[in-house]
Amino acid sequence: GDAHLGTLTSREFTLERDWITLLVGGGAHPQGTGVELLVDGEVAYALTGRNENRLRPVSIPVHAWAGQKARLRIVDRISGGWGNVGVDSIVFSDRPRVEPLEQRGDIGTLALAALGTAREVEPVLPRGELEDMSTDEAAGVVRRLVLAPGASGTALFVLAWHFPNPWRDSLAMLTGIEKKKRHYAVRFADAAAVLAHVAERAEELAARTRLWRDTWYDSTLPHWFLERTFANNSTLATSTCQRFDDGRFHGWEGVYCCAGTCTHVWQYAQGPARLFPALERDQRERVDFGLAFDADSGRIDHRAEAARELAVDGQAGTILRAYREHTMSADDAFLRRIWPRVKKALELLLARDPDQDGILDGAQYNTLDTTWWGKIAWTSSLYLAALRAGEAMAGELGDTDFGARCRSVRERGAAQMVSELFNGEYFVHEVDPAHPESNSTGDGCHIDQVFGQSWAHQVALGRILPEAETRAALRALWKYSFAPDIGPYRTYMQDRLAGGRWYALPGEAGLLMCTWPKGGEQSAVGQGQDSWAVGYFNECMSGFEYQVAAHMLAEGLVSEGLAITRAIHERYSPARRNPWNEVECGDHYARAMASHGVYLAACGFEIHGPQGHLGFAPKLTPEDFRGAFVGPQGWGSYAQKIEATGKLTAALELRHGTLRLVTLRIGHAGPTRARGVQLRVGTRALAGELESEQHAVLVRLAEALTLSAGETLVLECQV
């Protein structure tokens, strides 16, 4: 651990070879952590780690001291962050240690091309031969255009790269990762092959990309909102994410930060599952309920094989994600394959609630990196949401007894949450006095206190917590934890609960992780080794903020949800930070992909692919709304208009793939007595029934409809 200090000194030896080679990892502290070569008792050479636990090969040149006596000393003089050192495989050698070239993470090829005919494009090489280039010479490609006066032309250049080996883990090693390749290495031999693929399909690839771009931005939602809620999905194209040659997806928390696609961070990320559902289904089946799953206990190891430990929030979130991936499927085959293990995972959570009152008991390790104890609104709300998802899945598969058990515990839990943990304004954490070492929020107003209900809205599972108390909790977060200027609060807290990283700087707005409007912040500090983690409470971490913003939109607190989202957008404006890189514990942080959930909440989006159901309940301008959607096998645009006369017109246009539809729910601003539905695709009329719901209409088609790209379903009725 970082807190330990000490040195380890070798016996004396004679320097008889030219090199000492070894593997070194750990902290990058000169003279603090690393390895020292002592010659005549003095430090002749020293090296450190690079703030990573992956052991890297290094070589110490010692020929200058040939024949002299020496010692090696491993030192750890640092007790703070990265205050550790790892050393292995010390070898005296006549040659330096070199990692085999074909295994290196930075081996690969680059290629540059201009697209055009042989008459229009030519390479430019010094002296005509690439192999003869010196380091100060340049090569390139030229695209020639002949233009008449007033004419224009386009020169299309393509830069391709092909680096087949993924970077090796900086934390615990994944099984066999040293043998894995990137997924694209299966498809392409080198960068030249990539270029050939692009050249052959350039128009198709560009057209599809532009079609999605145009579909996304052709919306009545504010442009800044569309930017912020989609930008973080670019994390999938960064080094935070890897896809190996066997098809397996692996995500860090941030770029090379904290391995294992950990359940408790990635459960916040809504974007990947909604845009690339097949990727997330594979992650659930192959990893979470595959290699990370303990079949005896039902435990989902929260970092797959990188850390064999239960995180209760991640366990509940992964059960919810299993249901989400089911609803983003075309049929129920995925759910049928994983259900026995999903059920086992739920039984583990039920076992951690021995009195079956719907409140988790015992140790609760979570995404704030320590084990909490007591009755915790946050983790128990996720438990109740997971039970609701289990109830829904069990119902679909005919497991009625287990579904009834989930429903019974969930209903008791909702009542217990209100009676035991609601203080009249918000939900709290009832601390376990037997564990003074545990961090807690106590009477604080915690950002994730009703996270379970937020999750339930994301997957259209309805209410798991009472509406009045839930909305009160969200209003309390707005009242007590949203700071238009974070600076004064952080200054105020330095003498009360110090610490925290500056993701929001003085002068910037944000939603704080936890505040204590009724006092008691000192109770948050654990009395043992976990006390370091209380600094999290003073931070503004965008992934947490987004889940609250999405929840507020879902509950009708539209202005508040938009304001929180806008605050993050301003923090990540190009004048301040990289707008494509929301930082938490690492760059391009996975949790920030929760931003896409804010978009889904603004649309009131709901889907159940196997049942052929789609729904929209726009929270902004429902009388004139338009926005993009993605289904299990296709994507397109949805629009609705409600005229003053009460005429509702909705259009569902599919622009790529296919979409199977049986029911369509359309939300609007007021109560309704809908009537007179008319349905058509092109000139073809369809039969269907109309049902009135509170603030919505439900259209049930007489026969299942499969839309293909280019087709539009139009609906008209009176509301």
Side-chain angles (χ1 to χ4, degrees):
D2 289 349
H4 302 299
L5 303 174
T7 64
L8 185 64
T9 306
S10 77
R11 61 175 175 81
E12 189 175 65
F13 52 85
T14 301
L15 292 167
E16 298 174 337
R17 303 292 183 107
D18 288 341
W19 300 88
I20 300 176
T21 71
L22 62 162
L23 301 174
V24 178
H29 303 288
Q31 302 179 355
T33 55
V35 179
E36 297 172 342
L37 173 68
L38 306 178
V39 179
D40 292 333
E42 300 295 327
V43 178
Y45 195 98
L47 52 89
T48 72
R50 294 181 177 177
N51 288 350
E52 63 171 355
N53 289 330
R54 185 179 71 93
L55 296 175
R56 63 184 177 92
V58 295
S59 302
I60 303 174
V62 296
H63 58 273
W65 302 289
Q68 297 187 48
K69 300 293 185 182
R71 295 178 188 270
L72 285 174
R73 181 167 64 195
I74 303 171
V75 301
D76 180 358
R77 304 184 180 105
I78 303 295
S79 60
W82 284 105
N84 65 75
V85 59
V87 180
D88 197 4
S89 188
I90 301 171
V91 177
F92 299 90
S93 177
D94 290 330
R95 59 182 63 88
R97 183 188 295 253
V98 178
E99 186 176 8
L101 189 62
E102 67 276 6
Q103 295 180 15
R104 289 180 56 134
D106 54 1
I107 184 81
T109 55
L110 288 163
L112 176 66
L115 300 189
T117 67
R119 294 174 54 187
E120 298 166 334
V121 179
E122 65 179 275
V124 178
L125 300 174
R127 298 189 303 277
E129 293 294 336
L130 189 63
E131 289 78 5
D132 294 336
M133 288 176 60
S134 64
T135 56
D136 61 349
E137 292 178 317
V141 290
V142 170
R143 173 72 160 88
R144 300 189 183 279
L145 300 172
V146 179
L147 301 177
S152 64
T154 299
L156 180 60
F157 293 87
V158 180
L159 176 65
W161 61 90
H162 186 278
F163 291 84
N165 298 333
W167 197 258
R168 310 314 182 204
D169 273 334
S170 68
L171 291 180
M173 290 293 180
L174 294 176
T175 301
I177 191 173
E178 70 282 354
K179 299 178 182 179
K180 291 185 182 296
K181 303 288 185 182
R182 296 189 192 278
H183 189 257
Y184 63 66
V186 178
R187 299 180 60 195
F188 305 106
D190 53 24
V194 177
L195 280 183
H197 173 78
V198 173
E200 181 183 353
R201 301 180 59 193
E203 289 300 321
E204 174 193 349
L205 295 171
R208 188 179 300 176
T209 300
R210 293 189 184 106
L211 179 60
W212 170 255
R213 177 201 63 188
D214 295 344
T215 301
W216 179 256
Y217 285 109
D218 182 22
S219 174
T220 56
L221 293 167
H223 188 274
W224 70 264
F225 183 83
L226 296 169
E227 291 273 289
R228 185 46 42 207
T229 56
F230 197 77
N232 286 309
N233 294 316
S234 65
T235 293
L236 291 170
T238 71
S239 294
T240 293
C241 301
Q242 309 282 347
R243 195 178 184 197
F244 300 135
D245 49 3
D246 61 359
R248 175 187 171 183
F249 177 83
H250 170 253
W252 306 77
E253 292 185 20
V255 174
Y256 301 132
C257 168
C258 308
T261 327
C262 76
T263 59
H264 58 57
V265 167
W266 276 83
Q267 68 154 320
Y268 289 78
Q270 296 291 343
R274 298 302 191 176
L275 299 172
F276 304 101
L279 201 66
E280 288 277 2
R281 284 196 299 271
D282 183 73
Q283 175 71 12
R284 298 291 83 72
E285 190 166 6
R286 190 188 316 207
V287 180
D288 295 326
F289 294 103
L291 64 90
F293 189 76
D294 182 74
D296 294 331
S297 66
R299 184 188 71 242
I300 304 168
D301 292 321
H302 79 289
R303 294 189 186 278
E305 70 269 59
R308 298 290 191 182
E309 184 180 12
L310 170 72
V312 293
D313 54 341
Q315 180 94 359
T318 302
I319 293 165
L320 283 155
R321 289 189 289 167
Y323 179 71
R324 179 189 63 192
E325 272 62 274
H326 166 56
T327 64
M328 287 295 289
S329 301
D331 54 41
D332 65 0
F334 164 78
L335 178 60
R336 289 188 179 278
R337 288 195 303 269
I338 68 168
W339 170 244
R341 292 195 165 198
V342 175
K343 181 178 178 181
K344 189 72 173 180
L346 255 175
E347 288 172 339
L348 178 144
L349 290 177
L350 285 162
R352 298 175 77 88
D353 174 20
D355 55 4
Q356 302 290 274
D357 67 346
I359 305 294
L360 289 174
D361 299 310
Q364 298 173 53
Y365 182 79
N366 58 64
T367 194
L368 297 183
D369 295 325
T370 63
T371 298
W372 293 19
W373 295 77
K375 298 180 178 180
I376 308 166
W378 157 34
T379 52
S380 287
S381 76
L382 284 170
Y383 167 45
L384 298 182
L387 288 172
R388 178 67 186 92
E391 176 188 347
M393 289 183 278
E396 290 189 42
L397 296 180
D399 195 344
T400 55
D401 290 344
F402 187 74
R405 181 186 177 193
C406 290
R407 181 173 61 255
S408 175
V409 176
R410 174 179 60 82
E411 290 173 348
R412 284 196 295 274
Q416 290 292 104
M417 284 271 291
V418 172
S419 64
E420 295 192 27
L421 299 179
F422 187 70
N423 68 3
E425 284 190 282
Y426 54 86
F427 291 90
V428 299
H429 172 185
E430 184 179 302
V431 178
D432 183 349
H435 290 276
E437 79 285 358
S438 171
N439 291 327
S440 69
T441 52
D443 291 330
C445 187
H446 178 225
I447 197 167
D448 274 348
Q449 59 184 273
V450 285
F451 187 15
Q453 182 61 69
S454 179
W455 242 120
H457 285 310
Q458 284 289 320
V459 289
L461 283 175
R463 300 220 69 86
I464 61 162
L465 295 175
E467 180 178 2
E469 287 80 1
T470 301
R471 287 171 56 87
L474 293 173
R475 285 193 293 268
L477 282 169
W478 174 254
K479 178 180 180 180
Y480 296 127
S481 298
F482 182 75
D485 181 354
I486 209 72
Y489 179 82
R490 291 292 300 266
T491 300
Y492 169 82
M493 288 299 288
Q494 285 308 301
D495 295 331
R496 294 165 175 81
L497 192 69
R501 296 158 293 187
W502 287 92
Y503 299 126
L505 295 173
E508 296 177 336
L511 185 67
L512 291 149
M513 289 288 290
C514 191
T515 58
W516 283 266
K518 304 179 188 303
E521 61 270 13
Q522 286 302 318
S523 67
V525 183
Q527 303 304 307
Q529 63 180 0
D530 290 342
S531 60
W532 64 271
V534 299
Y536 288 152
F537 297 143
N538 289 332
E539 296 174 356
C540 295
M541 293 187 267
S542 64
F544 295 91
E545 294 172 278
Y546 283 131
Q547 80 82 4
V548 173
H551 194 176
M552 287 178 168
L553 285 165
E555 297 280 0
L557 303 177
V558 176
S559 296
E560 295 87 341
L562 289 176
I564 291 171
T565 310
R566 180 72 188 201
I568 304 170
H569 185 67
E570 294 293 337
R571 293 207 309 262
Y572 282 93
S573 70
R576 292 186 170 94
R577 296 174 178 86
N578 179 351
W580 305 96
N581 177 17
E582 293 189 19
V583 179
E584 196 185 304
C585 181
D587 290 297
H588 301 282
Y589 201 74
R591 195 186 329 255
M593 288 186 283
S595 60
H596 197 71
V598 186
Y599 173 80
L600 298 176
C603 297
F605 179 75
E606 58 187 48
I607 192 167
H608 196 301
Q611 294 179 358
H613 175 74
L614 195 63
F616 301 88
K619 300 300 184 289
L620 282 77
T621 65
E623 71 282 357
D624 184 9
F625 173 82
R626 186 170 59 259
F629 73 91
V630 179
Q633 296 175 302
W635 47 264
S637 181
Y638 170 79
Q640 68 178 57
K641 286 190 176 183
I642 305 174
E643 300 175 12
T645 60
K647 180 182 179 182
L648 166 65
T649 302
L652 190 68
E653 179 186 355
L654 199 68
R655 297 185 178 178
H656 178 78
T658 62
L659 176 70
R660 178 176 171 271
L661 197 64
V662 176
T663 57
L664 176 65
R665 177 174 285 116
I666 301 173
H668 50 85
T672 181
R673 294 179 63 85
R675 61 192 184 277
V677 65
Q678 295 181 355
L679 300 162
R680 68 178 185 274
V681 175
T683 59
R684 177 167 56 104
L686 304 176
E689 297 178 352
L690 192 66
E691 299 176 16
S692 293
E693 300 179 344
Q694 187 177 21
H695 307 310
V697 295
L698 179 68
V699 178
R700 191 179 305 277
L701 298 173
E703 296 181 358
L705 169 69
T706 298
L707 287 176
S708 299
E711 293 185 319
T712 301
L713 171 67
V714 177
L715 175 153
E716 294 178 351
C717 68
Q718 283 294 127
V719 296

